[in-house]
Amino acid sequence: MGLGLFWNFPSKTSCAVPQSLLQTMLLSRMAGMKDQQFTEEKPLLPESRGQETEMENCETFIAPGDWKEHDIETPYGMLHVVIRGAPKGNKPAILTYHDVGLNHKLCFNTFFHNEDMQEITKHFVVCHVDAPGQHIGAPQMPQGYQYPTMDQLAGMLPSVVQHFGFKSIVGIGVGAGAYILAKFALIFPDLVEGLVLLNIDPNGKGWIDWAATKLSGLTSALPDTVLAHLFSQEELMNNTEVVQSYRQQINNTVNQFNLQLFWNMYNSRRDLEMNRSGSVLNAKTLRCPVMLVVGDNAPAEEGVVECNSKLDPTNTTFLKMADSGGMPQITQPGKLTEAFKYFLQGMGYIAYIKDRRMSGGPVPSASMTRLARSRTASLTSAGSVDGSRNRACTHSDSSDGVGQVSQTMEVSC
């Protein structure tokens, strides 16, 4: 499959819940947040500095500390959150949201325990969000409990931002979590500085898909149905070690009643209301930098390609990872961390990236301004169909958009 291709797909029915009403309700709960003062400016990439930069100075690191659990009240119920660190000036928090069938530990532990990823997270507060009733040890929801809709799950996140005093977030979402973070960014764009979306499907299910899901639920056990959502067919057929491990953990650590509620709601989602500018009248799309990630032959591959077609190509990166299956953050955490470093570099938060494949030391970045930046990038795995072709990454270097530095990046898996 080619990468960086931008196709026009017919738009589908958008979400029925008026976003203006949802935003009005939630902004009233965030009034206190506007009064907070933030004195530290976002660190910009230096044009030319020595080996030691502000981001490499150990005094700026956030001590690892212990993870702290919180139960946060939101307009749509309680939300379980695990956090490490504290907000520092204008730096965004890294906020994650897991896929259906998982929780923050099953979805992100391997990724965040990667040595290089821990070097990144020293600079940021990290906040893991568990969907209602999905965290380890969660009590079973009462009979008749109405699980929040996907819009409402997104509407819970401003309460998290307000509770911890975050200025903004860089979101990392997988599957259902990617959909929720994208919805959150569409409603509250000023609170989201960037998004890393793995296995996102922006489309709701049609009648045929809905009926197929219902039939699958009648003929297969819930964990097996969820595994078909998480992993590629090749992984399932080979019954790999990671599939066996997750089958056991989904059975033993996630409340099955609560999981069924979340699964049903995710499969009842509607299309994300976004289209590339110029494709439809009054098109609305994500305004922040976005990195789309999908593994080769993953179940979500088609949905990620379509999501790419709905985003602004000047601030969207599409990464297809070879040999990563349906869960790249589990099977290729090192390569995903490498891509995440480049993504943060493009946003102006990491001045030098240490590339272990090169003996020449850190790779200097192009200088950028905070308010004027333009980026077009496509990262492709060496093992993908178009892996032999280089992709350009262009940065705007001035507010006038005159100076440009063109560089080519490729992530091989």
Side-chain angles (χ1 to χ4, degrees):
M1 181 190 67
L3 302 182
L5 300 178
F6 304 103
W7 307 329
N8 289 325
F9 289 82
S11 60
K12 299 183 180 180
T13 305
S14 59
C15 183
V17 179
Q19 291 188 356
S20 59
L21 176 59
L22 179 60
Q23 186 168 10
T24 300
M25 293 170 59
L26 293 172
L27 283 176
S28 65
R29 297 184 59 87
M30 300 180 61
M33 185 178 172
K34 297 180 180 179
D35 297 330
Q36 298 184 36
Q37 298 297 320
F38 297 90
T39 58
E40 180 184 351
E41 291 299 322
K42 174 179 177 179
L44 302 179
L45 293 178
E47 292 190 7
S48 63
R49 296 180 61 176
Q51 293 294 321
E52 183 175 316
T53 69
E54 179 186 353
M55 290 302 293
E56 292 173 327
N57 187 338
C58 62
E59 292 180 0
T60 67
F61 288 177
I62 295 176
D66 295 326
W67 293 95
K68 298 180 180 179
E69 298 188 40
H70 299 262
D71 290 311
I72 299 175
E73 183 180 356
T74 79
Y76 307 106
M78 300 298 293
L79 201 58
H80 184 263
V81 173
V82 179
I83 188 170
R84 186 185 70 185
K88 183 177 175 65
N90 276 350
K91 291 180 183 176
I94 296 177
L95 185 146
T96 74
Y97 213 117
H98 60 87
D99 201 356
V100 65
L102 308 175
N103 48 53
H104 82 270
K105 289 186 177 181
L106 293 178
C107 193
F108 293 111
N109 262 13
T110 300
F111 181 44
F112 277 84
H113 285 174
N114 180 270
E115 180 181 356
D116 289 339
M117 188 63 179
Q118 292 188 56
E119 288 299 311
I120 294 176
T121 57
K122 287 179 180 179
H123 307 295
F124 300 91
V125 56
V126 179
C127 179
H128 295 303
V129 176
D130 286 317
Q134 308 304 305
H135 60 278
I136 295 177
Q140 181 168 308
M141 301 296 192
Q143 291 291 335
Y145 172 78
Q146 180 59 50
Y147 204 84
T149 65
M150 300 301 286
D151 277 16
Q152 291 171 339
L153 291 171
M156 291 177 158
L157 296 180
S159 298
V160 177
V161 173
Q162 179 187 12
H163 182 88
F164 295 112
F166 299 155
K167 178 66 175 178
S168 60
I169 70 158
V170 172
I172 304 178
V174 181
Y179 180 101
I180 292 167
L181 287 178
K183 171 64 74 172
F184 173 57
L186 288 170
I187 302 174
F188 296 98
D190 293 338
L191 296 182
V192 182
E193 287 208 38
L195 289 174
V196 178
L197 305 176
L198 289 78
N199 299 336
I200 186 172
D201 187 345
N203 302 319
K205 285 187 175 294
W207 284 106
I208 296 178
D209 291 334
W210 180 85
T213 300
K214 286 293 184 181
L215 180 61
S216 176
L218 294 175
T219 58
S220 303
L222 179 60
D224 290 330
T225 303
V226 171
L227 286 171
H229 162 76
L230 297 174
F231 293 99
S232 68
Q233 285 299 313
E234 181 180 354
E235 289 172 301
L236 294 174
M237 290 178 61
N238 294 334
N239 197 25
T240 62
E241 184 178 345
V242 67
V243 170
Q244 295 178 39
S245 174
Y246 271 80
R247 177 181 283 108
Q248 181 179 4
Q249 293 186 78
I250 291 172
N251 268 310
N252 297 336
T253 65
V254 182
N255 184 286
Q256 300 297 291
F257 181 83
N258 298 348
L259 170 55
Q260 184 71 67
L261 294 177
F262 188 20
W263 176 250
N264 291 344
M265 192 54 66
Y266 176 64
N267 285 310
S268 300
R269 70 189 183 280
R270 297 178 180 271
D271 291 358
L272 281 175
E273 191 179 40
M274 61 182 188
N275 289 280
R276 182 173 297 178
S277 179
S279 60
V280 298
L281 187 64
N282 298 323
K284 183 178 182 180
T285 191
L286 297 174
R287 287 165 31 185
C288 63
V290 179
M291 180 167 73
L292 300 175
V293 182
V294 69
D296 54 347
N297 301 317
E301 183 177 357
E302 182 178 343
V304 177
V305 170
E306 181 158 357
C307 185
N308 186 49
S309 74
K310 296 174 179 290
L311 300 181
D312 183 352
T314 65
N315 65 0
T316 302
T317 300
F318 188 9
L319 169 61
K320 182 181 178 183
M321 300 181 66
D323 303 322
S324 63
M327 296 180 69
Q329 79 279 14
I330 301 298
T331 55
Q332 292 281 2
K335 297 303 179 183
L336 184 57
T337 298
E338 181 183 357
F340 187 50
K341 284 182 180 180
Y342 280 109
F343 182 71
L344 289 175
Q345 180 194 29
M347 294 176 61
Y349 283 113
I350 293 184
Y352 288 90
I353 298 177
K354 294 181 179 179
D355 193 334
R356 296 187 178 186
R357 297 170 302 169
M358 303 176 64
S359 58
V363 180
S365 65
S367 60
M368 298 175 64
T369 64
R370 178 176 181 178
L371 297 180
R373 59 175 178 248
S374 175
R375 186 164 77 105
T376 301
S378 290
L379 301 179
T380 177
S381 302
S384 64
V385 175
D386 291 346
S388 60
R389 301 200 324 228
N390 291 328
R391 303 291 180 175
C393 176
T394 304
H395 298 268
S396 174
D397 286 68
S398 70
S399 58
D400 296 328
V402 177
Q404 290 188 340
V405 175
S406 179
Q407 65 185 45
T408 300
M409 299 183 299
E410 183 168 322
V411 176
S412 27
C413 299

